Amino acid sequence: AITMFGIYQGCATAFVEIPYYWSSNFPYFLFPAMKTPEFPFPEAFLHYIWESKYFDLQDLRTQDQIPLHIFHSGILNHNQGPDFSQAHLKIGEIEWWWNVEIHIYSEAWYTHKHHLDPTYNTTVLHVVFRSSGKPILRADGTTIPELVLEGRIFEEVWQQYERMSRERTTIT
């Protein structure tokens, strides 16, 4: 159910009431979130997609065309800091057991001021629905690889999430 409308950065937005789902580790509440015509779901939908790997995993590459393999998506973080901890990834030839941050748009990294927060220096991958194509920098000045999910999320997952959100159903 839509609870409020507003204008955010020149776009009409709707703040919605979304049910919670059970992650593999614990219940996670999807709080009211901005929706736009380009991405009509809250950021928590991307958390669900990432955690469950409900997207095309074939020939994954970062925005800079570096090969990427996801062994383990990590553990959802409910506290301050990157969204997922202890992710096991292979980016290029290097294996990582580190953190992942997720946003709908890559610009949110800067909007949320993660580029100024040393807590995010442990982020090894920035996952977004849509990228601006601009480099994502940590507080220490190093660049973070970015994975773009636009065009990789299965249509059935979109439909299932939308149906469950409407029906206030628990996602298992």
Side-chain angles (χ1 to χ4, degrees):
I2 296 175
T3 56
M4 179 187 349
F5 281 98
I7 301 294
Y8 179 75
Q9 295 182 347
C11 297
T13 61
F15 296 85
V16 296
E17 193 175 44
I18 304 285
Y20 73 89
Y21 68 84
W22 281 92
S23 76
S24 58
N25 301 311
F26 35 72
Y28 176 45
F29 288 87
L30 305 183
F31 295 102
M34 183 183 85
K35 292 169 67 171
T36 69
E38 299 85 27
F39 191 84
F41 296 96
E43 186 176 292
F45 174 67
L46 293 181
H47 292 178
Y48 170 68
I49 294 297
W50 172 258
E51 183 175 44
S52 305
K53 296 186 200 170
Y54 285 157
F55 57 95
D56 183 3
L57 298 168
Q58 298 299 311
D59 194 35
L60 278 182
R61 294 184 174 273
T62 66
Q63 187 72 349
D64 294 329
Q65 298 306 307
I66 301 168
L68 169 66
H69 182 78
I70 304 164
F71 298 103
H72 176 59
S73 55
I75 300 167
L76 185 61
N77 176 17
H78 291 282
N79 300 309
Q80 288 186 323
D83 294 321
F84 286 84
S85 63
Q86 301 175 33
H88 181 192
L89 311 169
K90 185 174 183 183
I91 304 173
E93 296 300 316
I94 302 172
E95 274 193 54
W96 298 91
W97 287 264
W98 228 356
N99 299 323
V100 173
E101 178 68 7
I102 298 176
H103 292 113
I104 295 172
Y105 303 108
S106 56
E107 295 86 357
W109 179 267
Y110 295 102
T111 304
H112 298 167
K113 303 203 183 308
H114 298 330
H115 65 295
L116 302 175
D117 187 346
T119 305
Y120 290 85
N121 285 346
T122 61
T123 303
V124 71
L125 183 67
H126 189 226
V127 177
V128 297
F129 176 72
R130 184 170 295 150
S131 176
S132 66
K134 297 176 184 172
I136 302 299
L137 301 174
R138 297 180 187 97
D140 64 11
T142 57
T143 303
I144 302 171
E146 189 168 64
L147 172 64
V148 179
L149 294 180
E150 186 172 26
R152 290 191 163 273
I153 301 171
F154 302 121
E155 183 65 28
E156 299 81 31
V157 177
W158 288 100
Q159 293 168 356
Q160 178 184 14
Y161 187 87
E162 188 175 49
R163 180 182 53 77
M164 290 179 177
S165 295
R166 257 193 333 269
E167 295 172 3
R168 303 188 59 79
T169 305
T170 301
I171 301 172
T172 57

